[in-house]
């Protein structure tokens, strides 16, 4: 059974930073491309960033490019999202998924509970 457990969210002031983690199990993590997606209050799921199985390829939504960094540790079966210069519009529940460039309506919804990120002064 695929399990993805997100953690690391919290309340942070605008301009602050957070590092999210996603612990994976139940599949061969080192062979899987991964993504982060998010859902802001009252909005649909939005793709944020993707990384290839070896970590050599990354991709970002325009809204986070230059501020967020996706990475992975295949030895620890863990995916990360380093978020800097956070803005109030980054407030959302963040999920990890085992697809590259996850697309709402095309790919399965995130299986995990997500981690809440709130950016507010």
């Amino acid at each position: 059974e695929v399990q993805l457990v997100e953690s690391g969210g919290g309340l942070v002031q605008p301009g602050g930073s957070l590092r999210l983690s996603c612990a994976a199990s139940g599949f061969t993590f080192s062979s899987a491309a991964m993504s982060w997606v998010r859902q802001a209050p009252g909005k649909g799921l939005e793709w944020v960033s993707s990384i290839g199985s070896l970590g050599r390829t990354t991709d970002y939504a325009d809204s986070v490019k230059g501020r967020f960094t996706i990475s992975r540790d295949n030895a620890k079966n863990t995916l990360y999202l380093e978020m800097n210069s956070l803005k109030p519009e980054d407030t959302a529940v963040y999920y990890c998924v085992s697809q590259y460039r996850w697309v709402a309506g095309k790919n399965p919804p995130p299986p995990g509970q997500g981690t809440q990120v709130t950016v507010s002064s």
Side-chain angles (χ1 to χ4, degrees):
E1 179 188 0
V2 172
Q3 286 198 332
L4 296 169
V5 180
E6 304 90 348
S7 62
L11 173 64
V12 62
Q13 291 187 341
S17 299
L18 280 175
R19 188 194 197 200
L20 307 184
S21 298
C22 168
S25 62
F27 65 104
T28 306
F29 179 76
S30 59
S31 297
M34 299 292 295
S35 293
W36 287 97
V37 301
R38 67 186 181 185
Q39 186 166 25
K43 296 188 177 181
L45 286 162
E46 172 194 25
W47 170 77
V48 174
S49 181
S50 295
I51 187 167
S53 60
L54 299 179
R56 296 172 183 168
T57 303
T58 59
D59 203 2
Y60 298 92
D62 288 343
S63 58
V64 306
K65 199 172 293 184
R67 300 188 298 120
F68 290 10
T69 302
I70 190 170
S71 62
R72 64 191 298 159
D73 186 335
N74 285 346
K76 295 182 178 179
N77 284 0
T78 303
L79 177 72
Y80 303 101
L81 186 68
E82 185 77 34
M83 305 186 297
N84 298 314
S85 302
L86 282 161
K87 304 175 181 180
E89 51 263 44
D90 295 317
T91 295
V93 179
Y94 284 72
Y95 304 89
C96 57
V97 293
S98 56
Q99 288 88 29
Y100 197 87
R101 273 253 181 193
W102 182 94
V103 177
K106 177 180 178 180
N107 296 121
Q113 296 299 308
T115 186
Q116 175 71 50
V117 172
T118 303
V119 185
S120 175
S121 55

